Amino acid sequence: MANDEVILLDFWPSMFGMRLRIALAEKEIKYEYKEEDLWNKSPLLLQMNPIHKKIPVLIHNGKPICESIIGVEYIEEVWKDKAPLLPSDPYERAQARFWADYIDKKLYDTARKIYTTTGDEQEAGKKDFIEILKVLEGALGEKPYYGGDNFGFGDIALIGFYCWFHAYEIYGNFSIEAECPKLVAWAKRCMKKDSVAKTLPDQHKVLEFAKILREKLGLE
């Protein structure tokens, strides 16, 4: 696979794109990163993801793989000889996929309400967000990582949200660490890994981006 052409269409604050960047880093795969402007999408993005027209898109030898979790699984299957992201046991693999699916179905839309809404809707979003985090904290239990002793699929699915925590806290006026100390300890553990530390942008930079989004929505 030494002659593979790998391209990633992405947008720097996307927690979904971060999944693919981390997975590629874990596997030590060289790739070309192409930053997208979500308000002026490139012809390549529209060609490679004509259905959803969204990032991230992994392009492997000219073929697009859309949706971030599917992309992480693809990376695991194609480059399976290095840094396994999914456990070998079928039941444990199913559990990892369950929690990744839970994160995809629950977390983003709920978290978004914290910085894109006000009043009762924002409070409801914050309450739901904390409840989801507590469920995820319970799933982690006393393990260092979601997959047990090794960083893997479940961790990759969730860790990108960590760089948004500061923005959620500022606009929601609450402390995630006070609500979910074990989850924040897990995130800090993940941040000690090069693949994560070099991928996640600075939380203050993400806060500035959230402010721009709020301005576009007329909330600032």
Side-chain angles (χ1 to χ4, degrees):
M1 296 258 172
N3 297 320
D4 282 358
E5 181 192 53
V6 182
I7 299 168
L8 181 61
L9 309 184
D10 202 356
F11 183 48
W12 69 268
S14 168
M15 60 281 284
F16 302 110
M18 289 172 211
R19 292 169 171 175
L20 295 174
R21 282 176 256 160
I22 292 168
L24 289 164
E26 283 287 308
K27 299 281 189 181
E28 297 181 3
I29 305 301
K30 290 189 172 127
Y31 65 97
E32 181 183 353
Y33 179 89
K34 289 185 184 249
E35 179 78 2
E36 283 288 332
D37 176 354
L38 297 195
W39 290 276
N40 185 23
K41 295 174 183 178
S42 73
L44 182 61
L45 174 59
L46 299 176
Q47 175 195 344
M48 291 293 169
N49 192 358
I51 306 301
H52 294 306
K53 304 177 177 63
K54 289 179 179 177
I55 55 93
V57 180
L58 182 71
I59 306 170
H60 183 207
N61 295 332
K63 295 177 180 176
I65 299 95
C66 304
E67 298 297 302
S68 62
I69 283 296
I70 293 170
V72 172
E73 290 205 53
Y74 180 85
I75 290 165
E76 170 74 345
E77 288 173 11
V78 173
W79 294 283
K80 54 178 172 281
D81 56 338
K82 189 160 203 170
L85 304 176
L86 277 161
S88 56
D89 180 76
Y91 176 76
E92 288 178 10
R93 270 206 307 276
Q95 289 302 300
R97 290 183 176 117
F98 172 85
W99 287 111
D101 183 64
Y102 178 85
I103 291 160
D104 273 357
K105 284 180 175 156
K106 296 278 190 178
L107 202 54
Y108 176 73
D109 288 336
T110 307
R112 200 170 182 275
K113 286 178 185 172
I114 297 170
Y115 65 92
T116 61
T117 64
T118 56
D120 290 346
E121 190 177 357
Q122 184 192 44
E123 281 301 309
K126 182 171 78 172
K127 180 173 173 285
D128 290 344
F129 176 73
I130 292 167
E131 284 180 6
I132 292 164
L133 290 189
K134 284 184 183 295
V135 169
L136 290 167
E137 189 177 55
L140 179 66
E142 300 302 320
K143 303 188 298 290
Y145 300 107
Y146 277 91
D149 291 332
N150 299 313
F151 177 83
F153 193 75
D155 308 290
I156 289 172
L158 182 57
I159 192 58
F161 285 88
Y162 179 59
C163 62
W164 280 82
F165 277 15
H166 182 54
Y168 302 151
E169 289 175 328
I170 292 294
Y171 289 115
N173 192 28
F174 70 114
S175 164
I176 293 172
E177 190 161 23
E179 297 284 351
C180 300
K182 286 183 180 175
L183 191 72
V184 171
W186 158 83
K188 289 176 178 174
R189 197 176 303 123
C190 292
M191 285 296 287
K192 290 177 181 172
K193 295 189 68 67
D194 272 358
S195 61
V196 179
K198 290 177 179 176
T199 294
L200 267 61
D202 180 77
Q203 295 203 0
H204 294 91
K205 191 180 173 190
V206 174
L207 176 62
E208 286 300 310
F209 174 70
K211 187 177 180 183
I212 291 167
L213 287 181
R214 283 170 62 84
E215 283 170 357
K216 286 181 180 289
L217 293 166
L219 295 171
E220 290 279 333

Coordinates of all heavy atoms in Angstrom, one line a residue, residues 213-220:
L213 N -20.0 31.6 14.5 CA -21.2 30.9 14.2 C -22.4 31.6 14.8 O -23.5 31.8 14.2 CB -21.2 29.4 14.7 CG -20.3 28.4 13.9 CD1 -20.4 27.1 14.5 CD2 -20.8 28.4 12.4
R214 N -22.2 32.0 16.1 CA -23.3 32.7 16.8 C -23.6 34.1 16.1 O -24.8 34.5 16.0 CB -22.9 32.9 18.2 CG -23.0 31.7 19.1 CD -22.4 31.9 20.5 NE -23.1 32.9 21.2 CZ -24.2 32.8 22.0 NH1 -24.8 31.6 22.0 NH2 -24.7 33.8 22.6
E215 N -22.6 34.7 15.6 CA -22.8 36.0 14.9 C -23.6 35.8 13.6 O -24.5 36.6 13.3 CB -21.4 36.6 14.6 CG -20.8 37.3 15.8 CD -19.3 37.7 15.5 OE1 -18.8 37.4 14.4 OE2 -18.7 38.3 16.4
K216 N -23.3 34.7 12.9 CA -24.1 34.4 11.7 C -25.5 34.1 12.0 O -26.4 34.3 11.2 CB -23.5 33.1 11.0 CG -22.1 33.4 10.3 CD -21.6 32.2 9.6 CE -20.3 32.5 8.9 NZ -20.4 33.3 7.7
L217 N -25.8 33.6 13.3 CA -27.2 33.3 13.7 C -27.8 34.5 14.4 O -29.0 34.4 14.8 CB -27.2 32.1 14.7 CG -26.8 30.7 14.1 CD1 -26.5 29.7 15.2 CD2 -27.8 30.2 13.1
G218 N -27.1 35.6 14.5 CA -27.6 36.8 15.1 C -27.7 36.7 16.6 O -28.5 37.4 17.2
L219 N -26.9 35.9 17.2 CA -26.9 35.7 18.7 C -25.9 36.5 19.4 O -25.9 36.6 20.6 CB -26.7 34.2 19.1 CG -27.8 33.3 18.6 CD1 -27.4 31.8 18.9 CD2 -29.1 33.6 19.3
E220 N -24.9 37.1 18.6 CA -23.9 37.9 19.2 C -24.1 39.4 18.9 O -24.5 39.8 17.8 CB -22.5 37.5 18.7 CG -22.1 36.2 19.1 CD -21.4 36.2 20.5 OE1 -20.9 37.2 21.0 OE2 -21.5 35.1 21.2

